[in-house]
Amino acid sequence: MVKPIILKGHDRPVSQVLFNREGDLLFTASKGKSMNCAVWFSESGERIGTFDGHAGAVFSMDITFDSRFLLTGSGDSSTRIWNARTGEELAKFVHNTPVAWVKWALGDKRFLSVTKGVMGKKPEIQLYKVDDPFNIASTEPYMKITGASSITYAYWGPLNENIYASHGDGSLSVYDAETGKLKQTEKPHTKEITGMKFSKDQQYFATSSKDNTVKMFDTNSLECFKTFVAGKPFTDVCISPNRPHLFAVGSQDVGTVTTHAADSAQFRARVLHCVFEKEIGSIQGHFAPVNSITCSPDGTLMVTGGEDGYARINKLDQSYFKDLSDEVLFPMDAPEI
């Protein structure tokens, strides 16, 4: 494995790492009250700039299809839209509670914000319309979807027809994006869902959980068709865009790291084979729990962000593409002619 590029641009734990569609830009968010959102060149690790304005931790980000507008959600109970090219704040949407997750819809004319259920408030998915980020007509949501339990993630489904949400009790919900009506719910995990990512074509998605499992689901039916089990809770997962692999991170709970013996090997990123349901490799580096993991759109970079305040860009080379290929790991005998 090529020596990773280590990014140190935050003074607090990294909460999310995110690529743009082309993969040339990497966005990082942190739990700090300042220096909490930055953008980098993914190839070199050079920092381009920061997005300054949030007064609390930035828990989530999303970038538009054309990389022009960045969406951020923060513990200061606001969602903001930024000009990604200049760093200028274009709009601010105020909520009653901290924002845990944000996501643009297909077409970048709508977005959703997930708010936490604290201070007597129920968790909500709030939907907004944004025709022109430079001229926001309204900062009020046009629809609110209230969750029965805490909402950890929410995604627009194929063609924006549904909204898929994960919850703190281990359940998954599907809501109609036009009416907000609950269409389907399943409870595949026994504990909080800590990560959720869709495949490139949105035909399936993967989740990670504190119940020590990573699962894969069919988008249309919510049928679970793969399960991976480990000895520690998982904190996040991502799907390789060009290999039948998942990358998953997880370790002991953050609150117990300083009171229990911790081996840095447990903070590794695991490589899981989607077909054979096996761990086929791992990538080490962090010396604290890893909060977020993502892959570049071309599958050549894997990035992690951790409690140690670092983001690590791992360039996947021959030791990954060849040594972990199906031909090497699962050779098949040539057919008899």
Side-chain angles (χ1 to χ4, degrees):
M1 185 67 65
V2 177
K3 185 178 180 180
I5 300 174
I6 302 175
L7 308 181
K8 181 57 177 175
H10 305 288
D11 56 5
R12 296 298 301 274
V14 176
S15 54
Q16 188 189 5
V17 288
L18 171 76
F19 279 103
N20 67 336
R21 180 177 63 91
E22 293 81 8
D24 60 329
L25 300 179
L26 175 69
F27 297 85
T28 59
S30 89
K31 299 178 182 180
K33 291 186 177 180
S34 60
M35 299 169 58
N36 49 24
C37 193
V39 59
W40 319 69
F41 284 120
S42 61
E43 184 65 27
S44 64
E46 177 186 355
R47 188 169 73 172
I48 302 171
T50 59
F51 301 89
D52 302 319
H54 281 294
V58 175
F59 293 117
S60 179
M61 309 169 292
D62 197 24
I63 187 72
T64 54
F65 183 84
D66 57 8
S67 302
R68 292 185 63 194
F69 304 107
L70 180 70
L71 186 67
T72 58
S74 171
D76 65 6
S77 300
S78 73
T79 297
R80 306 188 189 206
I81 298 176
W82 310 79
N83 185 329
R85 299 177 180 176
T86 66
E88 176 190 3
E89 181 183 319
L90 301 178
K92 178 180 178 180
F93 304 81
V94 179
H95 310 278
N96 293 324
T97 59
V99 180
W101 184 252
V102 293
K103 199 69 181 173
W104 287 106
L106 178 66
D108 302 325
K109 296 298 183 182
R110 291 185 290 175
F111 73 85
L112 62 80
S113 293
V114 173
T115 59
K116 295 185 177 182
V118 295
M119 297 181 290
K121 304 291 185 180
K122 292 185 177 182
E124 291 181 332
I125 303 174
Q126 300 186 7
L127 278 58
Y128 296 83
K129 292 182 179 179
V130 181
D131 291 325
D132 179 7
F134 290 105
N135 184 23
I136 302 294
S138 173
T139 58
E140 295 298 317
Y142 70 87
M143 184 190 301
K144 294 183 180 181
I145 301 172
T146 303
S149 63
S150 62
I151 303 168
T152 53
Y153 295 91
Y155 284 84
W156 301 84
L159 303 178
N160 297 337
E161 292 178 351
N162 297 312
I163 292 175
Y164 292 76
S166 62
H167 300 274
D169 63 358
S171 63
L172 294 169
S173 300
V174 181
Y175 301 94
D176 188 296
E178 297 303 321
T179 65
K181 182 180 179 181
L182 178 64
K183 299 175 67 174
Q184 185 178 356
T185 184
E186 302 288 344
K187 196 172 187 297
H189 292 283
T190 58
K191 293 183 180 180
E192 178 184 343
I193 295 176
T194 56
M196 183 178 182
K197 299 280 174 54
F198 273 82
S199 63
K200 191 173 183 179
D201 59 8
Q202 290 194 310
Q203 294 303 300
Y204 63 93
F205 62 93
T207 60
S208 60
S209 172
K210 289 184 177 180
D211 65 5
N212 301 358
T213 66
V214 166
K215 294 177 181 284
M216 299 179 70
F217 301 87
D218 176 76
T219 300
N220 188 49
S221 64
L222 291 191
E223 176 186 358
C224 176
F225 59 86
K226 294 291 179 181
T227 299
F228 306 85
V229 182
K232 299 280 186 180
F234 284 103
T235 53
D236 199 13
V237 65
C238 71
I239 301 172
S240 170
N242 53 16
R243 291 291 185 275
H245 298 165
L246 298 179
F247 294 94
V249 289
S251 65
Q252 67 194 74
D253 186 74
V254 175
T256 65
V257 170
T258 57
T259 57
H260 294 73
D263 180 2
S264 61
Q266 70 170 299
F267 305 132
R268 70 188 188 278
R270 305 167 186 256
V271 185
L272 308 175
H273 199 286
C274 296
V275 177
F276 296 98
E277 296 185 55
K278 291 183 178 181
E279 180 179 335
I280 58 175
S282 63
I283 301 172
Q284 300 188 34
H286 287 277
F287 52 87
V290 182
N291 295 324
S292 180
I293 186 168
T294 189
C295 291
S296 61
D298 64 0
T300 61
L301 301 176
M302 186 274 289
V303 181
T304 52
E307 284 288 315
D308 52 15
Y310 293 98
R312 299 173 66 91
I313 302 176
N314 298 277
K315 295 188 177 182
L316 304 176
D317 58 6
Q318 177 175 301
S319 64
Y320 170 74
F321 287 107
K322 183 176 180 180
D323 297 349
L324 297 185
S325 66
D326 288 0
E327 290 77 9
V328 173
L329 295 177
F330 309 102
M332 297 180 65
D333 295 332
E336 295 183 3
I337 301 177

